[in-house]
Amino acid sequence: MPTEWTVRAITRAMLPVLLVLTLVELGSGLVLGSFEAQLFRYPSLLVLVPVTIGTAGNLGSVLAARLSTSFHLGTLSFSPRDDELAGNAVATVALAVTVFPVIGAGAWVATLLVSGDTSLALRMVVLVALSSGISLAVLAVVVTFSATYVAYRFGLDPDDVVIPVVTNVCDVLGVVVLFGVAQVLV
């Protein structure tokens, strides 16, 4: 796909996407505000918020970059039987399984060192982080595949639109999923 590298073309492609994503981020803030009492009650969860949403966005961004490269190389297939697609999805979830327990433990230790507050046990914080992380990795895979496919169908360069979409949507999903998991487990 030929890409037009002009300010006008980039603005035409990106401005609507960025405006919609701004509204999506406002929704994330509203959800986070409704979660405020629980965050103050359990400071470890408060520490988890930025790390969880950032890591979910990073996992989605890495996957988006891989799909974008495959797209530009002409090797991307949206077939459910595509081993490369499935391998990338499995790798994304496997990364979440390995990194989110470390994030949970790190959040608990950081909270202990800064405030001395261990109102949630280490295993509970790790469980919340791991459960949220796995859920977010699966959602990041779905969002990334969907955004890449939509970009492909509309003739947009995935390099321009997929990563902003994935990171913003993962921000919102990160808050929602972390809140939901905390409501169920804590």
Side-chain angles (χ1 to χ4, degrees):
M1 154 181 37
T3 302
E4 187 181 344
W5 293 97
T6 65
V7 171
R8 181 178 170 96
I10 293 170
T11 302
R12 194 172 0 139
M14 292 300 301
L15 188 60
V17 171
L18 293 175
L19 290 174
V20 169
L21 292 175
T22 299
L23 296 175
V24 169
E25 285 289 336
L26 288 173
S28 176
L30 293 173
V31 171
L32 189 57
S34 70
F35 189 29
E36 182 179 14
Q38 192 168 15
L39 291 174
F40 287 139
R41 183 171 175 204
Y42 302 112
S44 296
L45 296 179
L46 182 60
V47 174
L48 276 178
V49 171
V51 182
T52 299
I53 62 177
T55 303
N58 290 342
L59 289 172
S61 294
V62 168
L63 178 59
R66 294 180 62 79
L67 294 179
S68 183
T69 299
S70 293
F71 173 79
H72 288 298
L73 292 173
T75 62
L76 182 62
S77 162
F78 290 103
S79 168
R81 292 184 278 267
D82 184 348
D83 289 338
E84 183 179 343
L85 210 56
N88 279 310
V90 169
T92 300
V93 175
L95 280 169
V97 169
T98 59
V99 76
F100 276 98
V102 175
I103 288 170
W108 188 86
V109 168
T111 304
L112 176 66
L113 293 174
V114 171
S115 71
D117 185 343
T118 57
S119 52
L120 281 179
L122 171 62
R123 74 176 181 278
M124 179 56 70
V125 177
V126 170
L127 181 61
V128 168
L130 178 61
S131 301
S132 299
I134 292 170
S135 301
L136 285 168
V138 170
L139 290 169
V141 167
V142 170
V143 168
T144 305
F145 285 178
S146 301
T148 304
Y149 183 74
V150 169
Y152 165 76
R153 295 293 293 163
F154 283 100
L156 300 171
D157 186 344
D159 288 333
D160 291 340
V161 294
V162 175
I163 290 178
V165 167
V166 169
T167 55
N168 280 272
V169 171
C170 284
D171 283 354
V172 175
L173 290 175
V175 171
V176 171
V177 168
L178 181 60
F179 178 65
V181 168
Q183 289 292 97
V184 170
L185 295 178
V186 176

